[in-house]
């Protein structure tokens, strides 16, 4: 019996919906009015040679919606592009310039994959938040289209800034889609193209248009920060170095946003080749003095008060505390910690202080200011929470003398926070709950220090764990929280799914329940195991 050809399943359903809704749209919805625009282009007409793209895939409305959303809601990267120039370039050149089409398409895909997004992506179409099958399916088709068209562009032999933007957006898309090999390829591709263009050389900015050079400089530093964060989490080698002058705001309206990015640059300049050689184990142990100095450099990298937007402040503060924990992880791997050290950053309990500091800073921020940064920020919270879990399980902890939260209350706060952030419940909350279940079988702290097993970069290590591991109900999540807190003191409400757009649904389909551990009052345990995790034992955990 002959088999059907062409797209099947969800992919066929989504493309059929797109075609149907665009065929029903009026001409005014899908064409540019010649009288209003300097350049005329019908988005649903076949473009002339030398390239062609699927006219059923991207409409004018889709592109306009995504561009508007990008500049209105994603300030952490929007300053690498000029909105007016981008819109004009798309209107005038998308029909004849394959690279402009790929830039518009990659930006649209980038917007589509943002956790919890709900926006119109075509005439009469609406692809909603969780579960994200429609948006992700649509984004994957756009990404496939970009890959096909880029094969006919000589962007390696003659790269442009647009070439780098496309590669960066592709990296960001595949990162959110958890295709780590592909996203790493495109991040390295973007860095390589930047070096081919000489963007790492300050002398390359002496000639050419000043505005274009300004955006090139911004793009280089964004790649610098992005590469360091990704390489640190997933043990990759560095390519880009801080060899050019820092970016500057174009006008006073950009000052706050640019300040936030300058703070990030200042933090990541502390993570140099020496650190990465130790982190990636191409160099042996670091001294306690060097590690202590690095912790101080991180503290000195930021002013006491951040003069930036709330969204940028969220990214800066969480990144700062995450880096403190990363340096501590390197300290334990180097055998540099001691329970009797006068420097708190060189003790086994330091992650508890860092986790407390982070929660204090987060409580002053809105949830929206954190959600705008997507999965990357949730990974940092996950890293800190996993490290805190290991410390609770291995280090004797006395009662808090200053009335601050106990370590288990802190961990409970991270569980609640990750469950509430868009994108957090679908992957990192189940992994954190499973981590707590296997690491802390009882709320009774150990009487003496135990041998501590630390993973350098928990989120990166979690890439190898099946994404089908998810919890099915708020009741099971509450069971873990109940076991963390005394029965008479539960400062936070139990987790519950919300129907509002800003919350996540904790009842996905086709789930596998990770193990639960028994808490007080004889709470029952689930028995289905997780895939094993590789966690090398670090030799420096013994007391000195």
């Amino acid at each position: 019996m002959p088999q059907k050809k062409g797209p099947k399943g969800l992919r066929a359903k989504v493309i059929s919906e797109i075609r149907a809704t665009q065929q029903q749209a009026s001409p005014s919805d899908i064409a540019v009015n010649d009288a209003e625009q300097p350049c005329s282009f019908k988005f649903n007409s076949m473009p002339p040679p030398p390239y062609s793209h699927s006219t059923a895939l991207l409409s004018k409305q889709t592109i306009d919606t995504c561009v508007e959303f990008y500049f209105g809601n994603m300030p952490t990267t929007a300053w690498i592009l000029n909105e007016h120039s981008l819109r004009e370039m798309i209107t005038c050149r998308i029909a004849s310039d394959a690279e402009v089409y790929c830039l518009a398409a990659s930006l649209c895909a980038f917007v589509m994959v943002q956790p919890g997004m709900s926006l119109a992506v075509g005439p009469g179409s609406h692809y909603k938040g969780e579960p994200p099958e429609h948006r992700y399916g649509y984004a994957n088709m756009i990404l496939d289209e970009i890959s096909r068209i880029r094969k006919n562009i000589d962007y390696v032999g003659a790269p442009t800034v647009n070439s780098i933007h496309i590669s960066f957006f592709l990296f960001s898309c595949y990162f959110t889609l958890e295709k780590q090999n592909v996203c790493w390829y495109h991040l390295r591709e973007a860095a390589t193209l930047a070096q081919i263009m000489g963007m790492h050389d300050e002398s390359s900015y002496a000639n050419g248009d000043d505005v274009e050079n300004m955006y090139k400089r911004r793009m280089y530093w964004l790649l610098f920060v992005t590469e360091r964060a990704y390489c640190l989490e997933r043990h990759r080698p560095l390519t880009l170095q801080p060899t050019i002058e820092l970016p500057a705001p174009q006008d006073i309206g950009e000052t706050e946003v640019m300040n936030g990015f300058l703070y990030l640059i200042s933090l990541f300049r502390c993570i140099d080749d020496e650190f990465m050689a130790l982190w990636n184990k191409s160099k042996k142990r670091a001294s306690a003095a060097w590690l202590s100095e690095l912790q101080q450099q991180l503290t000195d990298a930021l002013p006491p008060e951040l003069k930036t937007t709330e969204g940028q402040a969220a990214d800066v503060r969480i990144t700062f505390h995450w880096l403190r924990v990363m340096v501590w992880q390197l300290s334990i791997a180097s055998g540099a910690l001691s329970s009797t050290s006068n420097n708190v950053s060189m003790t086994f309990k330091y992650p508890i202080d860092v986790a407390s500091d982070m929660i204090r800073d987060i409580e002053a921020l809105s949830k929206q200011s954190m959600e705008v940064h997507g999965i990357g920020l949730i990974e940092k919270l996950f890293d800190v929470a996993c490290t805190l879990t290991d410390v609770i399980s291995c280090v004797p902890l006395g009662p808090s003398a200053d009335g601050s939260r106990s370590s288990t209350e802190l961990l409970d706060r991270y569980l609640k926070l990750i469950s509430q952030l868009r994108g957090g419940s679908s992957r990192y909350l189940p992994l954190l709950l499973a981590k707590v279940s296997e690491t802390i079988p009882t709320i009774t702290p150990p009487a003496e220090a135990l041998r501590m097993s630390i993973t350098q970069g928990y989120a990166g290590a979690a890439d190898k764990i099946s994404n089908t591991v998810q919890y099915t109900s708020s009741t099971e999540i509450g069971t873990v929280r109940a076991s963390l807190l005394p029965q008479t003191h539960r400062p936070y409400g139990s987790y519950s799914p919300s129907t509002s757009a800003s919350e996540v649904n904790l009842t996905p389909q086709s789930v596998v329940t990770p193990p639960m551990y028994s808490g007080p009052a004889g709470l029952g345990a689930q028995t289905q195991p997780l895939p094993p995790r590789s966690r090398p034992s670090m030799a420096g955990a013994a007391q000195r």
Side-chain angles (χ1 to χ4, degrees), residues 214 218 246-259 262:
M214 177 190 71
R218 292 179 178 189
L246 295 173
Q250 187 175 19
D251 53 53
I252 192 171
E254 289 187 328
T255 300
E256 285 191 337
V257 172
M258 288 303 300
N259 280 347
L262 292 174

Side-chain angles (χ1 to χ4, degrees), residues 281 285 328-337 454 456 538-540:
K281 298 179 173 59
R285 299 181 179 185
W328 181 88
Q329 288 184 3
L330 182 61
S331 300
I332 197 171
S334 297
L337 300 183
I454 292 289
Q456 292 178 222
M538 300 304 175

Side-chain angles (χ1 to χ4, degrees), residues 345-453:
S345 69
M346 303 307 295
T347 66
F348 296 105
K349 298 180 181 180
Y350 185 59
I352 299 176
D353 294 335
V354 176
S356 181
D357 291 345
M358 181 184 279
I359 288 296
R360 182 198 63 221
D361 288 342
I362 286 174
E363 286 177 340
L365 301 168
S366 68
K367 189 168 63 174
Q368 183 180 6
S369 69
M370 292 182 278
E371 288 179 334
V372 72
H373 301 287
I375 297 299
L377 182 139
I378 296 174
E379 282 196 348
K380 295 180 176 69
L381 295 172
F382 177 76
D383 266 330
V384 174
C386 284
T387 305
L388 175 63
T389 302
D390 281 328
V391 171
I392 292 172
S393 68
C394 295
V395 178
L397 303 172
S400 174
D402 59 1
S404 59
R405 292 187 180 97
S406 70
S407 54
T408 52
E409 288 176 322
L410 279 174
L411 183 54
D412 172 75
R413 185 66 180 88
Y414 279 92
L415 284 166
K416 182 177 182 181
L417 178 63
I418 292 175
S419 78
Q420 291 177 333
L421 293 175
R422 288 171 174 168
S425 68
S426 60
R427 174 145 182 87
Y428 291 105
L429 177 63
L431 292 174
L432 180 56
L433 288 167
K435 170 73 175 174
V436 172
S437 298
E438 69 180 25
T439 306
I440 312 178
T442 174
I443 61 173
T444 305
E448 59 183 22
L450 304 177
R451 190 176 185 87
M452 193 179 300
S453 178

